[in-house]
Amino acid sequence: MHSTPQNHAHPLGFLIAFGTGGLLALMVQFNGALAHYGNSLFASWTAHAAGTVAALLFLLVLPRRRPSSQPRPPAPLWAYLGGLSGAATVVLSSMAVNSPAGLPGTLALGLAGQLLFGLVADGWGLFGLPKRRITFRDFAALALVLAGSLLILLAGKGAA
């Protein structure tokens, strides 16, 4: 089943996505600093412990919803892999940010990897996503992100 993407997004969605990108940059920098003074595994455990504490606090503060009369189906097993990929992301980005790539190179290459995986997931309809035909525009966007990543990495080497 093919779905057509909606071309009119709410501006708040763009602001939230932009803010999330800023938070991701902060997270990578903070985890990189933890890894620098400890190691990447320590950075990952610390980040996930802080996230657990924050989630528990949110559960205490946010109002509870009444359960609906219809029981929810159980989540598919692959949905639990999010924690594994999150832990791997923290460990690997903590290592990469302390490499010659630095924070900009780590984020640029991370964005390129996310975009490539997103195109693959959309094209094949992985993880319950609706299949979407990948267009030339998608490949052009990927090429531009990769070119920008290379510029960041190559320009950063000359400045060091």
Side-chain angles (χ1 to χ4, degrees):
M1 180 194 245
H2 292 278
S3 72
T4 56
Q6 295 193 6
N7 291 330
H8 43 76
H10 195 277
L12 183 60
F14 290 117
L15 288 173
I16 290 171
F18 190 75
T20 302
L23 288 174
L24 180 64
L26 278 174
M27 181 203 74
V28 170
Q29 178 59 36
F30 293 160
N31 291 337
L34 278 174
H36 178 74
Y37 291 105
N39 60 42
S40 296
L41 193 57
F42 171 72
S44 179
W45 277 104
T46 304
H48 285 86
T52 300
V53 169
L56 291 173
L57 290 174
F58 278 124
L59 285 174
L60 291 172
V61 172
L62 294 176
R64 298 194 188 270
R65 291 189 314 172
R66 292 188 145 178
S68 67
S69 59
Q70 298 288 345
R72 288 186 185 172
L77 288 178
W78 55 259
Y80 294 95
L81 293 175
L84 184 61
S85 66
T89 299
V90 171
V91 169
L92 296 174
S93 65
S94 297
M95 293 167 56
V97 79
N98 289 312
S99 74
L103 183 61
T106 299
L107 292 174
L109 291 174
L111 176 62
Q114 290 175 22
L115 183 56
L116 179 62
F117 184 80
L119 289 176
V120 169
D122 275 355
W124 285 333
L126 301 178
F127 307 113
L129 290 171
K131 278 189 177 182
R132 185 175 74 83
R133 198 176 75 114
I134 307 306
T135 65
F136 173 77
R137 208 162 138 190
D138 295 318
F139 286 112
L142 178 62
L144 288 171
V145 169
L146 286 171
S149 299
L150 284 174
L151 280 174
I152 289 170
L153 291 169
L154 296 176
K157 292 203 186 296

